[in-house]
Amino acid sequence: ATAGAVFEGVTAPADVALLPSDDTYVDESNETSNFGSLLELQVDGGNEEKSYIKFDLSDVKQPVKAAMLKLFITNGSAGKQYVREVMDDSWTESGLTWINAPPLGKQVGMTTGGESGSILYIAITDYINERIGSLVSLAIESTDTDQLFFNSSEAQENKAQLLLFHSENDNPPNPPEL
């Protein structure tokens, strides 16, 4: 299984690189505020900030050999971050708040943060293969008080992406053993 593996770098190009159809974060201390137009997404266990990212996999017709979230970190963290499934895909980045945020399901990935200015890769292959051909909503949360910020789809460059590697690719990344 590749869920939870972290890749320091990926040398093979992805067969498909998807941008989020929606992305935002929610903040318990600002429970009616919406942050969907901001350039960064935030995760913090102390202030209870959770980031939500949605991808449209309707054009993906076959299982992938590897699937990874690619995040450009703007505020580094050494804390643990958990990627969890979101139980309802009907949320939008312009409408999501703490109050109306859908419940989270199982953990599908985990990382121990990263440094500012670096790119973080989080393997979520098993979960993506379960959801081929549909919408996929993910949340990133933490129990640590060390804030992690990363670029949203509104950033000019280095946007959050979902990278997909198909089995016909001769050089997909080799996930480390967990």
Side-chain angles (χ1 to χ4, degrees):
T2 58
V6 177
F7 298 79
E8 292 299 322
V10 174
T11 57
D15 294 302
V16 177
L18 297 173
L19 292 173
S21 59
D22 292 275
D23 62 354
T24 188
Y25 72 93
V26 296
D27 181 347
E28 183 179 34
S29 63
N30 294 294
E31 59 186 25
T32 60
S33 296
N34 174 267
F35 304 101
S37 63
L38 298 182
L39 301 178
E40 293 178 318
L41 301 177
Q42 300 183 11
V43 178
D44 183 8
N47 292 333
E48 279 299 313
E49 297 168 340
K50 300 175 186 181
S51 290
Y52 285 72
I53 305 174
K54 186 188 310 182
F55 296 97
D56 185 352
L57 299 181
S58 60
D59 290 335
V60 179
K61 305 298 182 202
Q62 64 184 20
V64 297
K65 186 167 187 178
M68 291 180 272
L69 282 177
K70 178 183 178 183
L71 308 174
F72 182 81
I73 300 171
T74 57
N75 184 69
S77 168
K80 290 182 180 176
Q81 318 298 322
Y82 303 94
V83 180
R84 299 195 43 205
E85 73 176 324
V86 176
M87 302 304 293
D88 181 351
D89 296 318
S90 66
W91 64 273
T92 64
E93 73 178 38
S94 63
L96 192 67
T97 67
W98 182 269
I99 290 176
N100 66 12
L104 304 183
K106 68 182 176 182
Q107 179 181 319
V108 299
M110 191 276 298
T111 182
T112 306
E115 295 179 15
S116 294
S118 67
I119 296 175
L120 181 64
Y121 296 89
I122 308 168
I124 55 172
T125 306
D126 295 340
Y127 182 68
I128 293 302
N129 280 330
E130 292 171 12
R131 301 293 307 268
I132 292 293
S134 65
L135 290 176
V136 172
S137 290
L138 301 166
I140 302 173
E141 67 175 353
S142 180
T143 55
D144 290 313
T145 59
D146 193 8
Q147 293 180 313
L148 177 77
F149 299 174
F150 56 93
N151 279 354
S152 74
S153 61
E154 281 71 28
Q156 291 295 314
E157 57 187 21
N158 297 317
K159 300 174 186 208
Q161 295 179 330
L162 176 62
L163 304 180
L164 304 177
F165 299 85
H166 295 291
S167 58
E168 65 268 10
N169 185 332
D170 292 332
N171 296 310
N174 291 319
E177 294 296 320
L178 297 179

